[in-house]
């Protein structure tokens, strides 16, 4: 007689586990796509005006957005639950993207990526005031430990480097606020609508920038900016899906995989060789992220 009562929680847990797994996979795909996008953008900005790169990256990203839009229900998918929320969210994501591109232009590739890891830490902190989540001592400990690792990885420099650091931190803050807003609006806004409107706004912003400079791209330039647009669209959609299926703090922890990607791309493309302190800091950041992931998983399992 007791068997049905014991098996019911297990059966109910499976949909939650599947959703979390899909969220983690979506986040991993998003991180890989974003790393490719940032590499393409950094290479493109070395040869083309900033506004032109922003415009073409965003315009190319509209192509897969329209394709997915047709596949997932047409124009009805773009209906907003709250227009004001969509406007704020689009502005935040565009602001984060623009400042991120600027930071990658000013800083070495790996350094710009390392500073962006302030974003996931901010997500955990913002989950309390914006979502009403209880952060607790364990989460705060992981956040502080991760921040200590980031400080070890890349201490601030001087001149243009300090400007790059400030821009990178601003990008991380805008990213964190935007991702928490995506989680809060998950019941009313379709992820494709979020990606489409943000990409459309970024295209408009880039078009307004075009009078400041334009250089006719060759095949290599088209490949760079086209690749940035396609990979960026894939990354944005998968990231939005991840934040709908998993808690922001868990998505933030999974995003630490970008450290490995950034070091590899920085070495292969620009010959950047990380210092021993970089590996130490990376180990600390990854360790804090893994702990946060395990802690979130344990909380969800215990609440079922």
């Amino acid at each position: 007689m007791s068997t049905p009562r014991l098996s019911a929680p297990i059966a109910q847990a499976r949909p939650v586990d599947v959703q979390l797994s899909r969220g983690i996979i979506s986040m991993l795909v998003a991180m890989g796509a974003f790393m490719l996008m940032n590499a393409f953008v950094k290479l493109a900005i070395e040869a083309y005006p900033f506004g032109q790169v922003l415009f073409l990256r965003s315009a190319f990203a509209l192509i897969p957005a329209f394709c997915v839009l047709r596949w997932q229900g047409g124009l009805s998918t773009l209906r907003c639950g709250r227009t004001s929320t969509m406007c704020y969210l689009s502005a935040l994501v565009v602001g984060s993207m623009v400042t991120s591109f600027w930071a990658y232009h000013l800083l070495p590739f790996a350094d710009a990526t390392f500073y962006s890891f302030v974003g996931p830490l901010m997500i955990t902190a913002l989950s309390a005031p914006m979502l009403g989540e209880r952060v607790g001592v364990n989460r705060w400990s992981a956040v502080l430990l991760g921040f200590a690792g980031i400080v070890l990885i890349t201490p601030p420099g001087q001149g243009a480097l300090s400007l790059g650091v400030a821009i990178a931190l601003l990008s991380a803050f805008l990213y964190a606020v935007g991702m928490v807003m995506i989680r809060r609006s998950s019941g009313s806004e379709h992820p494709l609508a979020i990606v489409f409107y943000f990409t459309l706004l970024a295209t408009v912003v880039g078009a307004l920038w075009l009078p400041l400079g334009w250089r006719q791209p060759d095949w290599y330039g088209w490949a760079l900016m086209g690749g940035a647009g396609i990979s960026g669209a894939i990354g944005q959609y998968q990231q939005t899906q991840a934040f709908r299926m998993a808690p922001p703090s868990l998505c933030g922890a999974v995003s630490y995989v970008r450290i490995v990607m950034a070091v590899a791309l920085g070495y292969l493309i620009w010959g950047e060789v990380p210092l021993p302190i970089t590996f130490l800091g990376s180990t600390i950041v990854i360790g804090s992220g893994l702990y946060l992931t395990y802690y979130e998983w344990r909380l969800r399992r215990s609440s079922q």
Side-chain angles (χ1 to χ4, degrees), residues 95-176:
S96 176
M97 185 181 73
V98 171
T99 50
S100 175
F101 289 174
W102 193 4
Y104 274 97
H105 177 57
L106 295 174
L107 297 172
F109 188 80
D111 289 18
T113 303
F114 293 147
Y115 276 110
S116 72
F117 280 99
V118 178
L121 303 180
M122 290 178 178
I123 288 173
T124 300
L126 291 173
S127 294
M130 293 184 66
L131 297 178
E133 293 185 358
R134 182 178 179 274
V135 177
V137 175
N138 289 290
R139 288 177 178 173
W140 278 121
S141 299
V143 168
L144 293 176
L145 183 62
F147 185 77
I150 290 175
V151 172
L152 282 176
I153 291 171
T154 49
Q158 301 294 328
L161 185 60
S162 62
L163 174 62
V165 170
I167 298 300
L169 293 178
L170 175 59
S171 176
F173 175 74
L174 296 175
Y175 162 84

Side-chain angles (χ1 to χ4, degrees), residues 2-240:
S2 61
T3 301
R5 290 194 298 269
L6 292 175
S7 61
I10 296 176
Q12 294 173 1
R14 287 174 181 170
V16 177
D17 292 338
V18 170
Q19 180 170 312
L20 279 178
S21 298
R22 289 177 177 174
I24 292 172
I25 292 173
S26 292
M27 198 66 184
L28 290 174
V29 173
M31 293 304 99
F34 281 143
M35 282 296 93
L36 287 176
M37 178 195 70
N38 290 329
F40 288 143
V41 166
K42 184 173 177 62
L43 288 169
I45 293 177
E46 292 173 357
Y48 298 94
F50 186 90
Q52 178 181 352
V53 174
L54 175 62
F55 170 73
L56 291 178
R57 178 268 177 216
S58 303
F60 274 107
L62 285 174
I63 298 174
F66 276 114
C67 294
V68 176
L69 178 64
R70 183 177 180 181
W71 173 52
Q72 291 199 355
L75 295 178
S76 60
T77 308
L78 299 180
R79 294 174 182 170
C80 303
R82 295 184 61 182
T83 304
S84 59
T85 298
M86 185 62 73
C87 290
Y88 292 142
L89 184 55
S90 298
L92 283 168
V93 179
V94 171
S96 176
M97 185 181 73
V98 171
T99 50
S100 175
F101 289 174
W102 193 4
Y104 274 97
H105 177 57
L106 295 174
L107 297 172
F109 188 80
D111 289 18
T113 303
F114 293 147
Y115 276 110
S116 72
F117 280 99
V118 178
L121 303 180
M122 290 178 178
I123 288 173
T124 300
L126 291 173
S127 294
M130 293 184 66
L131 297 178
E133 293 185 358
R134 182 178 179 274
V135 177
V137 175
N138 289 290
R139 288 177 178 173
W140 278 121
S141 299
V143 168
L144 293 176
L145 183 62
F147 185 77
I150 290 175
V151 172
L152 282 176
I153 291 171
T154 49
Q158 301 294 328
L161 185 60
S162 62
L163 174 62
V165 170
I167 298 300
L169 293 178
L170 175 59
S171 176
F173 175 74
L174 296 175
Y175 162 84
V177 176
M179 292 306 102
V180 175
M181 283 189 65
I182 287 176
R183 177 66 177 178
R184 189 169 64 180
S185 63
S186 62
S188 60
E189 309 298 346
H190 194 282
L192 181 57
I194 296 173
V195 173
F196 180 83
Y197 286 120
F198 132 72
T199 305
L200 183 62
L201 178 60
T203 305
V204 172
V205 172
L208 295 175
W209 217 316
L210 289 181
L212 299 179
W214 173 272
R215 178 187 172 189
Q216 183 61 33
D218 55 14
W219 70 266
Y220 179 66
W222 285 117
L224 288 177
M225 289 178 273
I230 301 300
S231 58
I234 294 172
Q236 190 63 47
Y237 180 76
Q238 290 296 324
Q239 180 174 257
T240 304

